[in-house]
Amino acid sequence: MDVLSNGGKMKCVAYVSRAPIKDRSVRMPAGLSDIVRVSSKHNPELQITGIISYREGQYLQVLEGPYAAVDKLMAKIASDPRHEDIWVFLEKNVTERSFNNWGVSVFDFVDKGTFFDTFIENNSAVLNSFDELQTKRIQPFFDTKKSNNASKKDYEGKSLKLLAWPDLNHESNPQMIMDLCVKLTKKPYPFDALVDSGEFGSLDQVTKMIVGFEQSGILNVTDAQPLDEQKVSERKPNKFYGAIKKFLGMR
């Protein structure tokens, strides 16, 4: 856990913005050197870390630090004429930083740094939820498909338990989703065991379903616990789930 000297809450904000159009209708990163200079001077004392990148007429910036300090800085950025069309695509409380060095570092291709893998891994659910236009806008900085690999890493060695069931009427394969829900409802179940069984498809297919549960806010993820050796398939079908299947016309 990242402990702040002032004991306050810590927050992460990430956004993209467009540089203003200058002469000849071209967007130029005017003032980038000043942004970096001021950040390098003031951010350490404010305990703010992060990165900034400029690509194809846009800035990408990630800021991490005390809740009040990050909010105050974002308010300044929102009124800064060097930024237009600001899209805050991530804003959340955090307990540890993805970027540990003080100050805001400048990178051309941010996803070439191994440190950025941590940021993608920690925020894979958000990155996977982008629509086509949002994905296109963020694409100059990093490939959102990379977040799919991060989400796989998230679940390896983890146990999963459903807090609620999804709407089966909107699932393309409700029978498989229902079987998976049954597996994850009674108690935490190891993700690795789901994949190894082959019952729910390939690693990518299982991951896609689990990511969907997590994005819907109905999944609890914990460290893996030893799996009960008693085979679920040998138990008699639960009457409750049998009734649900019958009601939905699945049997």
Side-chain angles (χ1 to χ4, degrees):
M1 181 177 294
D2 195 331
V3 180
L4 299 175
S5 60
N6 62 4
K9 295 180 179 179
M10 192 159 65
K11 185 176 188 177
C12 176
V13 172
Y15 72 89
V16 290
S17 65
R18 302 187 193 280
I21 295 178
K22 296 295 183 181
D23 297 337
R24 300 178 183 178
S25 300
V26 176
R27 296 186 185 275
M28 298 292 291
L32 178 57
S33 58
D34 288 336
I35 293 174
V36 175
R37 179 180 56 80
V38 173
S39 297
S40 300
K41 180 179 179 180
H42 296 293
N43 286 1
E45 62 188 46
L46 295 174
Q47 298 186 348
I48 291 179
T49 60
I51 58 98
I52 188 169
S53 178
Y54 178 82
R55 293 287 298 162
E56 299 180 16
Q58 292 193 109
Y59 294 105
L60 164 72
Q61 187 163 23
V62 181
L63 299 170
E64 301 172 320
Y67 203 97
V70 171
D71 278 350
K72 186 175 181 179
L73 181 54
M74 280 303 302
K76 289 183 178 180
I77 291 171
S79 60
D80 191 329
R82 294 171 295 187
H83 298 275
E84 294 180 350
D85 190 17
I86 297 176
W87 169 38
V88 178
F89 64 86
L90 179 71
E91 183 172 8
K92 69 175 188 178
N93 295 334
V94 293
T95 57
E96 24 181 76
R97 301 174 189 266
S98 297
F99 312 98
N100 292 319
N101 294 327
W102 295 122
V104 174
S105 301
V106 183
F107 290 89
D108 188 9
F109 290 99
V110 289
D111 61 346
K112 287 188 177 180
T114 55
F115 59 87
F116 203 72
D117 291 342
T118 301
F119 175 75
I120 293 180
E121 183 175 336
N122 290 342
N123 300 289
S124 59
V126 173
L127 302 179
N128 283 328
S129 68
F130 289 168
D131 61 28
E132 185 176 351
L133 291 178
Q134 292 170 329
T135 299
K136 185 176 180 179
R137 185 169 182 186
I138 208 79
Q139 203 72 36
F141 298 101
F142 62 92
D143 189 355
T144 55
K145 293 179 181 179
K146 190 173 182 180
S147 65
N148 290 329
N149 295 327
S151 65
K152 295 172 189 174
K153 296 179 183 176
D154 285 347
Y155 302 124
E156 290 176 359
K158 299 294 184 179
S159 285
L160 316 170
K161 186 177 187 302
L162 280 183
L163 304 176
W165 278 33
D167 184 354
L168 297 174
N169 291 318
H170 293 87
E171 298 292 347
S172 59
N173 192 340
Q175 179 65 64
M176 179 177 286
I177 295 295
M178 173 173 282
D179 291 341
L180 180 57
C181 289
V182 172
K183 187 84 72 175
L184 302 181
T185 295
K186 293 185 178 181
K187 59 183 179 181
Y189 199 93
F191 172 78
D192 296 341
L194 290 176
V195 175
D196 292 342
S197 71
E199 183 179 355
F200 303 101
S202 66
L203 172 62
D204 288 342
Q205 290 171 321
V206 175
T207 300
K208 184 177 180 180
M209 289 186 285
I210 298 302
V211 167
F213 291 160
E214 187 165 27
Q215 289 178 349
S216 299
I218 61 174
L219 184 73
N220 185 41
V221 182
T222 58
D223 290 334
Q225 300 295 323
L227 182 64
D228 189 343
E229 294 299 330
Q230 188 175 5
K231 294 182 179 180
V232 177
S233 60
E234 293 179 352
R235 299 174 183 172
K236 294 182 179 180
N238 186 290
K239 292 182 179 180
F240 172 72
Y241 297 119
I244 292 179
K245 290 184 178 181
K246 184 175 181 181
F247 176 74
L248 294 175
M250 295 180 182
R251 53 176 296 180

